[in-house]
Amino acid sequence: MSEAAQVFRATENHVKIIGRTYEHNDVLWLALSGGGVEFSFYGKKAEITIKGDPIATSGNNEARIGIYVNGNRVIDDMVKQPVKKYTAFESDTDQHVTIRVIKLSEAAMSTVGIQEIVVDAQEGIKPTPANEHKIEFIGDSITCGYGVDDDNVPGTFTTATEDVTKTYAYLAAEQLQADYSMVSFSGYGIISGYTENGEKLLTHLVPDYYEKVGKSEGIFDGTLVPQSLSWDFNKFVPDLIVVNLGTNDDSYTEDDPEKQADYVKQYVEFLKMIRSNNPEATILCTLGIMRDRLYPFVEQAAKDYMEETGDTKISAMRFDLQSEADGYVVNFHPSEVTHRKAAEKLVAEIKEVMGW
């Protein structure tokens, strides 16, 4: 770096914050899928120092990050050491540059921190402007981009093949030019996580962590657990909240009317929780990319909620089921083609519902 080099922390004075993040010990920590920062500058070089959590040296499901320069991914890496410096951009001449740093993998396995940003730019860095619209996505493995980079269907999950930027949610936000935040965990549901033995899995419930910064095996700086931190809902105020939960619940409810009724009841309670934290947002309840047996009960929950509360800013939409022709990835998760089609359907629905 030249004498013009300047050092910045990833604070909102300097960067646009993407998704739920948490500042701890002068580092901006990212847990949830798609969390990150974006900034611009006019200069010759940019270096970004990334900090790993204790998972980084475990050799198992470390965080995957992507660094973009002017919309192109220039770095795609697994965070496997405590601290690593990346040269994101270097040029002999001053250029206008926009850099985006995104956590591509999900919260549950690992977290990652942005320690500092060093640029060779006399004017320093500034946050990119906020978009007009804001969307929050609440989901499971589909929203996380589970296995999207691995078409070996019987394979096993790893964060190395998870990429949120290929999901219907990220693509829809891009197409609508909306800022987004995602709260998604693979295998999670509303009344049960994914189960293969018919037993209700109570450890994997999204409502338990919706009001937290995240939920992870990873620990910020080895000292702070994301699920111990309350999320400040004033930090990101969405116009629209898209809920896509029920795929994992279906493994528990199957065709049992009593269990399906329980799903409806708890879904209504979750909608109340969402509303209490987001008084102005429109809520869109969706289901159907991998399984749609519970979709009528998603509709029922939206209807019951509306009747019980008088809140009419809610609707439901059924996604098209994925098809063999469009391919599958690990554990029959949706392929890139399926995600693109789902994004198209969602964008059309949002334009209609929101008038965007």
Side-chain angles (χ1 to χ4, degrees), residues 53-55 107-111 188 215-219 225-227:
D53 65 9
I55 306 286
M109 317 300 171
S110 37
T111 68
Y188 279 57
K215 158 71 175 14
S216 185
E217 297 296 321
I219 300 172
V225 182
Q227 52 269 37

Side-chain angles (χ1 to χ4, degrees), residues 224-299:
L224 262 191
V225 182
Q227 52 269 37
S228 69
L229 306 165
S230 294
W231 172 243
D232 176 359
F233 283 86
N234 295 313
K235 284 184 178 289
F236 184 86
V237 181
D239 307 301
L240 171 68
I241 296 171
V242 178
V243 185
N244 185 1
L245 289 171
T247 303
N248 295 304
D249 298 276
D250 182 75
S251 69
Y252 164 70
T253 58
E254 294 188 324
D255 283 312
D256 185 323
E258 215 171 283
K259 292 176 177 179
Q260 290 171 331
D262 183 29
Y263 171 77
V264 172
K265 187 169 165 243
Q266 293 308 317
Y267 202 131
V268 171
E269 292 309 304
F270 185 41
L271 288 170
K272 289 177 187 171
M273 180 195 286
I274 292 169
R275 173 58 76 221
S276 70
N277 290 296
N278 305 276
E280 300 300 324
T282 297
I283 302 171
L284 176 59
C285 305
T286 68
L287 189 67
I289 297 174
M290 286 180 75
R291 296 177 181 183
D292 63 357
R293 177 165 46 181
L294 274 177
Y295 180 73
F297 301 93
V298 171
E299 283 190 321

Side-chain angles (χ1 to χ4, degrees), residues 90-309:
E90 196 165 15
S91 165
D92 293 336
T93 56
D94 288 327
Q95 292 187 37
H96 289 284
V97 179
T98 297
I99 289 183
R100 177 180 273 212
V101 182
I102 293 287
K103 184 168 186 279
L104 303 174
S105 61
E106 69 179 277
M109 317 300 171
S110 37
T111 68
V112 68
I114 301 172
Q115 184 166 297
E116 66 177 29
I117 298 160
V118 183
V119 292
D120 184 342
Q122 288 186 341
E123 302 288 313
I125 66 175
K126 62 180 181 187
T128 53
N131 284 313
E132 187 185 348
H133 307 306
K134 290 182 167 58
I135 307 173
E136 177 177 81
F137 296 92
I138 305 173
D140 49 35
S141 57
I142 301 170
T143 307
C144 293
Y146 180 108
V148 72
D149 285 338
D150 182 1
D151 58 9
N152 177 27
V153 176
T156 51
F157 169 79
T158 161
T159 48
T161 66
E162 192 168 49
D163 185 348
V164 71
T165 69
K166 294 176 180 175
T167 65
Y168 76 93
Y170 190 94
L171 296 171
E174 290 274 285
Q175 287 167 37
L176 292 160
Q177 295 183 303
D179 288 328
Y180 68 82
S181 178
M182 298 189 195
V183 184
S184 57
F185 309 95
S186 292
Y188 279 57
I190 289 173
I191 61 165
S192 175
Y194 179 73
T195 177
E196 291 182 333
N197 61 8
E199 296 291 314
K200 193 186 261 191
L201 185 62
L202 292 169
T203 52
H204 286 53
L205 305 182
V206 174
D208 289 348
Y209 302 105
Y210 177 65
E211 296 178 316
K212 304 297 183 184
V213 168
K215 158 71 175 14
S216 185
E217 297 296 321
I219 300 172
F220 298 160
D221 218 23
T223 56
L224 262 191
V225 182
Q227 52 269 37
S228 69
L229 306 165
S230 294
W231 172 243
D232 176 359
F233 283 86
N234 295 313
K235 284 184 178 289
F236 184 86
V237 181
D239 307 301
L240 171 68
I241 296 171
V242 178
V243 185
N244 185 1
L245 289 171
T247 303
N248 295 304
D249 298 276
D250 182 75
S251 69
Y252 164 70
T253 58
E254 294 188 324
D255 283 312
D256 185 323
E258 215 171 283
K259 292 176 177 179
Q260 290 171 331
D262 183 29
Y263 171 77
V264 172
K265 187 169 165 243
Q266 293 308 317
Y267 202 131
V268 171
E269 292 309 304
F270 185 41
L271 288 170
K272 289 177 187 171
M273 180 195 286
I274 292 169
R275 173 58 76 221
S276 70
N277 290 296
N278 305 276
E280 300 300 324
T282 297
I283 302 171
L284 176 59
C285 305
T286 68
L287 189 67
I289 297 174
M290 286 180 75
R291 296 177 181 183
D292 63 357
R293 177 165 46 181
L294 274 177
Y295 180 73
F297 301 93
V298 171
E299 283 190 321
Q300 188 64 47
K303 186 165 171 277
D304 289 0
Y305 167 81
M306 206 185 316
E307 286 173 1
E308 207 177 305
T309 63

Side-chain angles (χ1 to χ4, degrees), residues 1-44:
M1 281 290 186
S2 73
E3 289 169 16
Q6 296 185 56
V7 182
F8 298 93
R9 299 281 176 205
T11 62
E12 55 191 18
N13 298 339
H14 306 304
V15 300
K16 172 165 135 178
I17 306 287
I18 301 171
R20 295 187 182 186
T21 63
Y22 194 82
E23 215 177 310
H24 177 56
N25 290 347
D26 288 331
V27 173
L28 186 73
W29 287 91
L30 319 174
L32 289 155
S33 296
V37 302
E38 193 175 70
F39 61 91
S40 60
F41 67 94
Y42 180 69
K44 292 190 177 78

